[in-house]
Amino acid sequence: MAYQVLARKWRPRTFAEMVGQTHVLRALMNALSTDRLHHAYLFTGTRGVGKTTIARIFAKSLNCETHGVSDHPCGHCRTCTEIDGGRFVDLIEVDAASRTGVDDTRELLDNVQYAPTRGRYKVYLIDEVHMLTRQSFNALLKTLEEPPPHIKFLLATTDPQKLLPTVLSRCLQFNLKRLPLELIHSHLSHILETEQIAFEPASLHFLARAADGSMRDALSLLDQAIAYGAGQLTVADVSAMLGTLEQGVVYHLLRSLMANDAVALLNNVKQLAESNPDFNQVLADLLSILQKIALAQVLPDSLNSELPEEQMIAELAQQISPEDVQLFYQIGLTGRRDLPYAPEQRGGFEMLLLRMLAFRPVNAAFSAPETAKPTPSRTMADAPRPVAATTVTHVPPTAAAVPEKKTIVKTPPVSSPVSPAPITPTNTPNNTPAHSPAKNQVLTLNNPEDWLHLVKQLPLGGAVRQLALNCALTQVSGHTLHLQLAKDSEMLGVGGRVSELEKIILNYCGQPYHIEIHITQQLNTVTVAELQHREQNEYEQQLKVQIQSDPFVQSLQQRFGAKIMRIQANKNGENS
């Protein structure tokens, strides 16, 4: 007897033998058992997931001589055996890929009006129905919508997007899913045990992954692997047949990345290059492992402890941080897109791995950011900036930006040009920030300028800050501060802002102070807002002089007639 390939030998004959697709089988079996049958069914899904197989079983269920219309055909009557052998006269199978013309469709429909020869129903099984032309669909529409009672249409396609909406609306559509890797693995194991073929369980994992959700592809690869291994399956033989690498090689690469060992990493690539692999596939395997590690870190129970690969994934998930996993995955995903543009695959793959090392953060930066120091492996952008740190120390967040700009113009000095206000005693701890509360201290406001220094040091914000900026100190009597406010700014002193300012001063010095606001037509002294405006103008004038005296700017003005323009930044930091 001639050898029959596994894909045909192990093709399901009943719904009970089907692997997966329970959501489709349940609907069909319930329809058969309750005799609620539609006239047209559409099965969609990728290749090898069971579309044609389910259609043939459905045809047997409709025409079984022993059980009649039921969800469990006998499989032994003449009708069932003829359908299994492809000889049943009332099951008309059409390959739409080879019969796309409208004439073929009309010829097919000429016999629709005639009753079935032997069966209960005449079944039209049209495979790859999306290959039909628009004219063929139009010829089919009327019959598809109102067929004779003895006609059933079973349509199958891998690309339902190409079907006309008018066709889709006339069919019950069932979408068959890709089969999970574990389901394919277990089914292949069952077949090999039944066929009494020796195999290594890990080898089936490679076959199931290469099948990409298709059981027919898995069975075809299994046939090829059995022939390649002379009747047995080993990991080495299956890897060589598929042209894939052993997972241990990819794990060595990942361990070198985790150890931050560039020398070992390049040595691994050198050894890998001796087998002339497809580095794009190596990168894909590395990304697959990183994805599984990330999943294991979030859901440890999702791993199968019986598989060696899953055990290694669980071990790596405990040794690498989630941040590194995400970084490696993102760099690898972007690098896979750019890998074809590299002068050679190996060089592009090496640069990608070195990029993972170069951009990997120093662990100390996560554990102790305040003590982290720049190391040779870090970029200059990661190094601490003393100027920025000094500015933060001497200028509170609520202070104006004018002193900072003066500091930038005068490059040598770092501290703020405005001297600190004499509001705290000399024994203030050195580690106390300028804007932090100084408890149990008495304000020493001897002149109106002291109020300017106090406002710059208080943690003010919003409308309270505007009130303080537009007030001028006129007198201090005990714990009462007498402030002047211009008539046109009178609305700043309403809504409880005065009491809120008193609370801020209380929190700052630890003692209560009462504030009295006196509304006047004209202020007798300068306010903080006016001082800021004055300093801003002085800064802009200095900056303008520096720009105008720059030789390069002067040459642009002379050669091109360039003009110096002032650009005002809005509150969002954007130029307008």
Side-chain angles (χ1 to χ4, degrees):
M1 182 177 178
Y3 174 75
Q4 191 176 22
V5 297
L6 296 177
R8 294 187 60 190
K9 181 178 179 180
W10 285 88
R11 191 167 200 164
R13 302 294 195 269
T14 62
F15 289 128
E17 295 178 3
M18 283 292 301
V19 178
Q21 314 301 349
T22 55
H23 63 294
V24 176
L25 301 180
R26 178 180 177 181
L28 295 178
M29 294 172 69
N30 288 339
L32 289 166
S33 60
T34 58
D35 198 21
R36 299 178 64 88
L37 299 175
H38 200 267
H39 60 271
Y41 294 85
L42 174 63
F43 302 104
T44 66
T46 187
R47 79 269 179 262
V49 294
K51 301 185 296 296
T52 308
T53 299
I54 290 179
R56 288 178 178 174
I57 298 174
F58 191 75
K60 285 196 296 184
S61 300
L62 293 173
N63 294 292
C64 179
E65 297 177 2
T66 304
H67 295 158
V69 178
S70 67
D71 58 353
H72 52 284
C74 67
H76 304 293
C77 65
R78 188 171 61 171
T79 297
C80 291
T81 55
E82 288 182 357
I83 290 177
D84 289 336
R87 305 185 304 271
F88 189 58
V89 67
D90 291 324
L91 175 60
I92 299 96
E93 294 194 27
V94 180
D95 181 15
S98 59
R99 302 185 63 179
T100 61
V102 62
D103 294 335
D104 296 327
T105 305
R106 287 172 179 169
E107 180 183 351
L108 180 68
L109 298 177
D110 284 342
N111 296 323
V112 168
Q113 56 184 331
Y114 300 112
T117 304
R118 288 184 41 225
R120 196 173 291 107
Y121 292 96
K122 183 181 290 187
V123 181
Y124 285 86
L125 174 53
I126 305 178
D127 200 6
E128 299 300 334
V129 69
H130 67 274
M131 298 294 290
L132 293 178
T133 63
R134 189 180 188 89
Q135 292 76 11
S136 298
F137 277 126
N138 291 332
L140 183 63
L141 280 180
K142 187 61 177 178
T143 306
L144 193 63
E145 183 176 14
E146 298 177 356
H150 57 270
I151 295 297
K152 299 295 179 186
F153 284 100
L154 305 180
L155 312 180
T157 178
T158 56
D159 195 357
Q161 304 297 330
K162 294 183 178 180
L163 268 65
L164 298 178
T166 50
V167 175
L168 294 175
S169 65
R170 289 165 168 80
C171 301
L172 293 185
Q173 184 174 349
F174 296 95
N175 183 27
L176 279 68
K177 302 177 182 178
R178 292 176 181 267
L179 298 176
L181 187 145
E182 295 80 9
L183 194 59
I184 297 177
H185 185 283
S186 62
H187 189 59
L188 295 183
S189 177
H190 169 69
I191 292 175
L192 291 175
E193 291 174 356
T194 306
E195 296 286 338
Q196 297 182 352
I197 297 175
F199 67 96
E200 293 180 0
S203 63
L204 300 183
H205 178 77
F206 288 97
L207 294 175
R209 187 173 60 179
D212 192 24
S214 171
M215 184 62 74
R216 185 180 62 223
D217 287 3
L219 294 175
S220 299
L221 291 172
L222 181 60
D223 251 332
Q224 184 180 353
I226 293 173
Y228 187 89
Q232 62 180 0
L233 273 72
T234 62
V235 174
D237 288 343
V238 171
S239 299
M241 183 198 75
L242 296 175
T244 58
L245 296 170
E246 293 187 11
Q247 292 296 95
V249 179
V250 184
Y251 286 117
H252 288 319
L253 289 174
L254 185 56
R255 290 186 185 278
S256 299
L257 282 172
M258 293 166 53
N260 208 28
D261 191 346
V263 176
L265 189 64
L266 295 179
N267 287 335
N268 290 333
V269 177
K270 181 179 179 181
Q271 297 176 3
L272 185 62
E274 295 176 356
S275 59
N276 194 26
D278 181 3
F279 283 98
N280 188 52
Q281 183 59 43
V282 176
L283 180 56
D285 293 340
L286 180 61
L287 292 175
S288 177
I289 292 176
L290 289 171
Q291 182 267 335
K292 293 177 182 177
I293 291 176
L295 186 62
Q297 289 176 339
V298 178
L299 300 172
D301 297 336
S302 62
L303 297 177
N304 185 1
S305 59
E306 296 180 358
L307 297 178
E309 181 185 2
E310 304 285 321
Q311 296 175 0
M312 194 172 298
I313 292 292
E315 178 184 348
L316 292 174
Q318 298 177 355
Q319 299 175 358
I320 186 172
S321 66
E323 294 84 0
D324 286 344
V325 174
Q326 296 295 331
L327 177 67
F328 292 160
Y329 187 86
Q330 185 60 39
I331 293 178
L333 200 62
T334 305
R336 192 180 183 190
R337 179 196 60 194
D338 300 336
L339 193 59
Y341 299 102
E344 56 175 353
Q345 269 203 340
R346 175 182 172 180
F349 185 71
E350 288 178 341
M351 286 298 295
L352 187 144
L353 296 178
L354 293 177
R355 193 180 306 133
M356 291 180 179
L357 291 182
F359 287 93
R360 185 183 184 186
V362 179
N363 292 334
F366 294 98
S367 59
E370 67 277 344
T371 59
K373 296 182 180 181
T375 61
S377 63
R378 296 175 63 182
T379 62
M380 292 301 296
D382 296 329
R385 301 180 183 181
V387 174
T390 306
T391 304
V392 172
T393 302
H394 291 280
V395 182
T398 56
V402 177
E404 295 182 16
K405 293 184 180 180
K406 284 194 174 183
T407 303
I408 296 174
V409 174
K410 300 177 182 180
T411 307
V414 177
S415 58
S416 174
V418 181
S419 59
I423 62 171
T424 58
T426 57
N427 59 353
T428 302
N430 294 331
N431 59 354
T432 303
H435 61 275
S436 61
K439 299 295 184 180
N440 300 324
Q441 298 181 24
V442 180
L443 296 179
T444 56
L445 302 177
N446 300 322
N447 53 67
E449 293 184 359
D450 292 342
W451 172 251
L452 307 180
H453 300 303
L454 175 62
V455 171
K456 291 183 178 182
Q457 298 186 42
L458 290 177
L460 301 174
V464 179
R465 182 171 182 269
Q466 294 300 319
L467 172 64
L469 291 177
N470 287 275
C471 284
L473 179 68
T474 58
Q475 183 183 2
V476 179
S477 56
H479 285 268
T480 301
L481 305 179
H482 298 273
L483 302 178
Q484 279 187 348
L485 184 63
K487 181 69 175 179
D488 54 0
S489 302
E490 183 179 1
M491 294 303 298
L492 293 175
V494 301
R497 296 166 187 168
V498 175
S499 60
E500 187 173 350
L501 180 59
E502 291 176 346
K503 292 179 182 179
I504 294 175
I505 296 177
L506 171 63
N507 294 333
Y508 180 79
C509 64
Q511 293 189 9
Y513 282 86
H514 176 64
I515 296 178
E516 290 188 2
I517 302 292
H518 303 279
I519 306 299
T520 180
Q521 292 290 341
Q522 185 176 3
L523 299 180
N524 298 327
T525 184
V526 65
T527 64
V528 181
E530 293 174 348
L531 178 62
Q532 288 181 352
H533 183 68
R534 185 187 305 169
E535 291 179 345
Q536 176 70 19
N537 290 336
E538 293 176 358
Y539 167 75
E540 291 181 358
Q541 290 298 325
Q542 294 177 7
L543 191 61
K544 185 176 182 181
V545 171
Q546 290 183 1
I547 295 175
Q548 290 177 341
S549 61
D550 187 271
F552 179 71
V553 175
Q554 292 177 355
S555 65
L556 291 178
Q557 290 177 323
Q558 294 174 0
R559 295 180 59 184
F560 304 105
K563 297 181 180 180
I564 301 174
M565 300 180 64
R566 181 179 183 274
I567 299 178
Q568 179 68 35
N570 57 28
K571 62 181 181 180
N572 296 325
E574 301 174 352
N575 295 331
S576 58

